[in-house]
Amino acid sequence: MAPPAAIRWFAIVSALMLCLLISPSTAIYCDEDDCYDLLGVTQSANSSEIKKAYYKLSLKHHPDKNPDPESKKLFVKIANAYEILKDEASREQYDYAIAHPEEVFYNTARYYQAYYGHKTDPRAVLVGFLLVLSAFQYFNQWTRYNQAVDMRSGGTTNKKKSNKQTNKKMDEDLSKELELQIKGAEQPSMWDLLGVRFILLPYTIGKLLLWHSCWFWRYKVKQAPYTWDDASYLTQRSLSAPLDAWRNVDDLRKEDLINRRLWESSNMESYLAEMRKESKRRR
C-alpha cells in the first residue's frame, strides 16, 4: 500500500500533467479565444494593421468609453491579444503554437519563459524552489520514518489505540531505537532540510574552516596528541564507517579500535590482515 504522502504528491503531479495534456497549447496565450479573431485581423496581417485594429477596438470597448462590464472584460482580452501580436518574438511563438498544437510542453515552456522569466526575481525563484524541495523532503522523511516504525512494531502500534499512554511509551522507545538502528529512517528534523542548510551555509562553511584551522594548528604544527573524540573521528573515517553505525559499536570494541590507531597506514594494514584471517577461520 502506497504511503499517504506519496499518494498526495502523485495525485497533484498527475492532475497538473492531465491539465497540460487536455488544454491546447494555444490556450495559454488568449485563453480559449484566438488572438487574431479578438482583434478582427487575419494571421497574415502586418504590424500596422494589427495596431490599427487594436486602436479601433479600444475606442469602442475601453472602460472610459464604455461602462458595460462585458465590454470591459472584452477589452482586457483585446489588450492581451495585442500585447502578444505586437511583438515579433511573441507573435512568432504564438504562430508556432497554432501550427504545432501537439507540442504542448514545448509551447508552454516557451510561453512562461518569455512572459514570466524576465519578470521574476531569481532570488524569489530560488526561495520558492528551496521551499518546495524542503517540503517534499520533510514529508518524504516522515513517510519513511512511519514506515520504519510500523515495520519495527509489527503493525501493532496502531491497533491498540485504547491505551494511549502505552502506545505513547512504545512510540518513544521505538523512536529512540530507530534513531540508532535504522539508517536513513531517522525522525525528521528541521535542521536537515535543504532550505535550512542553505540559509546556514555561510555559518557552516565558516565553522568548517575554523575546525580545519584548529586541527592543523593543534596536530600538525604543535604535534599535540589526539583527543579521544578526534581519535574516534579518525578511526571512524579510516574504517569508512557511517556515523550511525559507529555510534552503535560497543564501547569496549570502540576503545580497542581507537587504541589501534587505525588512521596510520601500517596499523590499518595489520588490522585488515587480522580481519581476513578471522574471516577464513570462520569459514
Side-chain angles (χ1 to χ4, degrees):
M1 182 177 178
I7 294 176
R8 287 196 297 270
W9 279 104
F10 180 78
I12 293 173
V13 173
S14 300
L16 291 175
M17 296 286 286
L18 189 61
C19 290
L20 286 174
L21 289 172
I22 292 176
S23 301
S25 57
T26 54
I28 58 178
Y29 288 90
C30 293
D31 295 329
E32 300 301 326
D33 300 308
D34 184 284
C35 295
Y36 291 103
D37 289 344
L38 285 171
L39 294 178
V41 296
T42 63
Q43 192 171 351
S44 60
N46 57 39
S47 57
S48 177
E49 292 173 336
I50 291 174
K51 187 175 183 180
K52 288 179 180 178
Y54 169 69
Y55 283 133
K56 182 179 179 180
L57 292 171
S58 296
L59 293 175
K60 181 179 180 181
H61 297 287
H62 195 281
D64 294 340
K65 304 290 183 180
N66 192 336
D68 184 11
E70 294 299 322
S71 183
K72 180 179 179 181
K73 293 179 181 179
L74 181 58
F75 174 76
V76 172
K77 292 183 177 182
I78 293 171
N80 178 59
Y82 178 65
E83 288 296 322
I84 292 171
L85 298 181
K86 76 175 183 178
D87 182 73
E88 290 297 328
S90 60
R91 182 180 179 181
E92 180 184 352
Q93 291 181 5
Y94 179 64
D95 290 342
Y96 184 90
I98 293 176
H100 304 85
E102 73 282 356
E103 299 182 16
V104 179
F105 299 106
Y106 177 70
N107 293 327
T108 303
R110 293 183 73 191
Y111 171 81
Y112 285 110
Q113 181 181 9
Y115 288 93
Y116 294 101
H118 65 284
K119 300 178 183 179
T120 306
D121 190 338
R123 293 171 294 183
V125 174
L126 178 61
V127 171
F129 176 74
L130 288 174
L131 287 175
V132 172
L133 202 60
S134 297
F136 179 79
Q137 179 187 6
Y138 187 76
F139 285 120
N140 182 56
Q141 287 179 353
W142 263 116
T143 300
R144 294 172 61 188
Y145 177 75
N146 290 331
Q147 285 179 326
V149 171
D150 292 339
M151 291 172 60
R152 189 69 181 175
S153 62
T156 59
T157 304
N158 294 329
K159 295 179 181 179
K160 298 180 179 180
K161 295 184 178 180
S162 58
N163 193 339
K164 296 182 180 180
Q165 294 298 327
T166 303
N167 283 340
K168 184 177 180 181
K169 182 66 169 59
M170 184 184 297
D171 288 341
E172 291 176 354
D173 293 340
L174 284 171
S175 63
K176 292 178 181 178
E177 188 175 358
L178 284 166
E179 287 175 0
L180 295 175
Q181 296 187 11
I182 302 180
K183 185 178 185 297
E186 297 84 1
Q187 190 169 1
S189 171
M190 296 296 293
W191 299 105
D192 294 331
L193 298 181
L194 289 175
V196 177
R197 288 189 175 186
F198 182 80
I199 294 174
L200 298 178
L201 186 60
Y203 167 77
T204 303
I205 294 175
K207 185 178 179 180
L208 191 61
L209 290 174
L210 179 62
W211 183 85
H212 278 286
S213 301
C214 293
W215 184 284
F216 181 81
W217 173 257
R218 182 182 301 167
Y219 300 124
K220 300 297 182 181
V221 178
K222 297 182 66 177
Q223 298 292 321
Y226 292 113
T227 63
W228 179 264
D229 290 337
D230 291 339
S232 176
Y233 163 74
L234 288 173
T235 304
Q236 175 212 342
R237 191 179 66 173
S238 300
L239 294 171
S240 300
L243 183 58
D244 292 337
W246 177 250
R247 287 173 178 171
N248 292 329
V249 175
D250 181 77
D251 290 339
L252 293 177
R253 176 62 174 166
K254 186 181 295 185
E255 182 178 0
D256 176 63
L257 292 172
I258 293 173
N259 290 332
R260 286 172 175 264
R261 300 177 65 86
L262 298 179
W263 55 88
E264 297 177 5
S265 58
S266 58
N267 295 337
M268 188 63 182
E269 290 175 2
S270 300
Y271 173 74
L272 292 177
E274 290 180 13
M275 291 297 100
R276 284 192 289 267
K277 289 180 180 179
E278 181 67 19
S279 178
K280 291 180 180 179
R281 186 185 66 80
R282 291 179 179 178
R283 292 177 187 174

